[in-house]
Amino acid sequence: MTKFLIRWGINALALYLAVLIVPGIEYFGEWTGFLWLALIFGLLNALLRPLLKFLTCPLILLTLGLFSILINTLMLILTSNIGQSFGIGFTVDGFWQALLGSLVISFVSVVMSLILRDELKGKK
């Protein structure tokens, strides 16, 4: 349960920083909306991303892993669409903004996971 909460917080922080850094990714609402967006983003990554990686495995191998960036971009666009359907004011203006946003989210997630790796492994 602690691992889930830490991962949820990392996703919320990564989405927040993507909104701050990338022009074209906007959020209108209260801070609690980031928690809902992080939950949507985390569920998409947990449920849909493995299937997409399996189906696009030859493309990922052919591009030496660069195609996984496009999968991350798709996850951000889907998060935006699902969030808007739930009334969360999160918008991504286009593909290139989503691509930059997915790079920011990936970078923040990697850095925060390295910082909190002991907590994510369950060690104390």
Side-chain angles (χ1 to χ4, degrees):
M1 182 68 166
T2 304
K3 184 177 177 180
F4 169 75
L5 292 175
I6 292 172
R7 181 64 52 197
W8 190 12
I10 289 172
N11 282 336
L13 177 66
L15 286 166
Y16 176 72
L17 290 176
V19 168
L20 287 179
I21 294 172
V22 179
I25 298 179
E26 298 174 354
Y27 174 74
F28 306 103
E30 297 181 13
W31 66 272
T32 55
F34 279 108
L35 296 177
W36 289 110
L37 283 173
L39 183 64
I40 293 168
F41 188 71
L43 286 174
L44 284 175
N45 277 330
L47 300 175
L48 193 57
R49 188 173 182 202
L51 178 65
L52 287 174
K53 279 192 155 189
F54 176 74
L55 293 175
T56 60
C57 186
L59 285 173
I60 291 172
L61 291 174
L62 186 66
T63 61
L64 301 174
L66 291 177
F67 194 78
S68 62
I69 294 172
L70 293 177
I71 293 174
N72 292 342
T73 303
L74 177 65
M75 294 295 108
L76 187 59
I77 291 170
L78 281 173
T79 300
S80 172
N81 291 338
I82 293 171
Q84 288 175 5
S85 68
F86 282 116
I88 300 171
F90 181 70
T91 59
V92 178
D93 288 343
F95 172 79
W96 295 108
Q97 289 81 9
L99 181 70
L100 289 174
S102 69
L103 291 174
V104 169
I105 290 170
S106 296
F107 179 76
V108 171
S109 294
V110 166
V111 169
M112 291 302 295
S113 295
L114 287 174
I115 292 171
L116 299 172
R117 68 177 170 247
D118 290 338
E119 286 82 4
L120 288 171
K121 288 182 182 177
K123 297 179 182 178
K124 294 185 182 184

